[in-house]
Each structure stands twice: as C-alpha cells, then as structure tokens.
Amino acid sequence: MNDKTRRFLPLVVTVGQVVIFPYYIIWLKQVSLTFTLFAWFFAAFSFAAAWGYRIFQSKKNKNQSFICLIYLGMGVVYLLIGNIKNLSEVLPYMVLLLQVILGLLQGYFRAWHTEQDTYHLHAVHHYLIVGFAMIAFSFVTIISPVVFITVFGLLLCLCGVWEFIRERKESI
C-alpha cells in the first residue's frame, strides 16, 4: 500500500461524512415537514446503508470495488441536496429517494473501507481529525448548511475522479 491516495482518500471521505453530518441533519430537519417524516427519512437511510453494506459483503471479487463510482455517487447526491429548491409537493419523495441512494452508497463504502489495510489506523486518525474539525467549524458563522453540503459534494466528486484516474493508471 505505497500509494498515498489509496491510503488517505478513504480517511478524507470518512472524516468528511462525519463533519458534514450536523449540517446534513439541519438540512434534513428543514425539509422534513414533521418529526415523524424526519424519523422515516432516517429509517430509510439506515435500511439502505445495511443493504449497501450487504451488497459489498456478498461480492465474490472484492478487489473490483468500483469505489470511484461510490465517491462520485455520494458527491452527486450531496450536490443535488445542495441545489434542491423547495418543491413542496415533490420534496418528500425526492428526499426519500436521496436518503435511500446515500444510505446505500455509504453502507457500501463502509463495508469496503473495513476491508482496507489502513482501516484500523484510520479509525484513530478519524476521531482526532473530526474533533479538531468540529472545533474549527464551531467558529465559522453558518451561512447555510447547504453551502457546506455542496462543498462536500464537490470534494467527493473530486475524490471519485482522482480515484478513477489512479485506477486507470494502475491498470495500465
């Protein structure tokens, strides 16, 4: 595992998911009409994450993970979330669909990440980096959670493109 990209991209994605989570919760609460709907959205996310985890675990060839597509998929979902306009009648259906897609992708990513050699090292660094990042973000005046969500979506898309390029170079 000499490639720094292979070592650090999963850490960046994992830390980013945790750091963005409070902003994501604020956004989800804003688009949920009731607490019940909010809870159902989270249930859909959790079930989809379990499904995504199971999909990866049941793969025969775990070396062919398509992780660049997972990064890109999560990035696109976050970008869509950041650009959703309040379409009152359609919004709950859009959010439910995005919750299921995001849960599926994050569950798959989590299962893939646990199979990596650096996972245990990432777990320690993850907690330290998240702690420092959350302290730093506490000093930032929140313009809107959507700004942070959109920026994270762009970061995930860049990670996906970077991973795709790295995989292409590796296969050549």
Side-chain angles (χ1 to χ4, degrees):
M1 175 124 351
N2 297 343
D3 189 9
K4 287 185 179 184
T5 300
R6 177 174 271 161
R7 286 183 24 217
F8 292 116
L9 271 185
L11 180 63
V12 168
V13 172
T14 303
V15 168
Q17 287 173 340
V18 174
V19 169
I20 204 68
F21 192 67
Y23 300 105
Y24 182 75
I25 296 293
I26 292 168
W27 172 82
L28 191 60
K29 187 64 179 138
Q30 288 173 346
V31 299
S32 300
L33 304 174
T34 64
F35 179 75
T36 303
L37 189 57
F38 179 77
W40 278 87
F41 285 153
F42 257 95
F45 175 87
S46 294
F47 295 142
W51 183 29
Y53 197 94
R54 182 69 184 126
I55 288 171
F56 182 81
Q57 290 300 321
S58 63
K59 284 179 63 95
K60 301 247 187 276
N61 183 4
K62 292 184 180 177
N63 292 329
Q64 190 177 18
S65 62
F66 305 107
I67 200 66
C68 64
L69 296 176
I70 301 300
Y71 292 157
L72 284 169
M74 287 190 293
V76 167
V77 169
Y78 281 117
L79 288 173
L80 287 172
I81 287 168
N83 291 306
I84 284 180
K85 303 297 179 222
N86 195 0
L87 308 168
S88 59
E89 292 178 13
V90 186
L91 187 61
Y93 302 107
M94 288 176 57
V95 172
L96 179 62
L97 179 64
L98 292 173
Q99 282 287 95
V100 169
I101 293 169
L102 189 60
L104 180 74
L105 294 172
Q106 284 190 5
Y108 187 95
F109 168 74
R110 188 75 54 230
W112 171 83
H113 192 199
T114 60
E115 298 283 329
Q116 303 307 302
D117 295 336
T118 58
Y119 176 73
H120 297 291
L121 181 62
H122 284 176
V124 173
H125 291 153
H126 168 263
Y127 291 119
L128 295 172
I129 294 169
V130 167
F132 286 119
M134 293 312 289
I135 289 170
F137 278 137
S138 72
F139 294 109
V140 174
T141 304
I142 298 175
I143 300 168
S144 169
V146 172
V147 173
F148 291 107
I149 291 169
T150 304
V151 168
F152 183 59
L154 285 171
L155 177 66
L156 283 172
C157 286
L158 289 174
C159 288
V161 169
W162 187 266
E163 183 70 17
F164 179 75
I165 292 168
R166 189 196 60 74
E167 286 176 1
R168 288 287 176 201
K169 284 182 182 177
E170 197 174 88
S171 68
I172 293 176

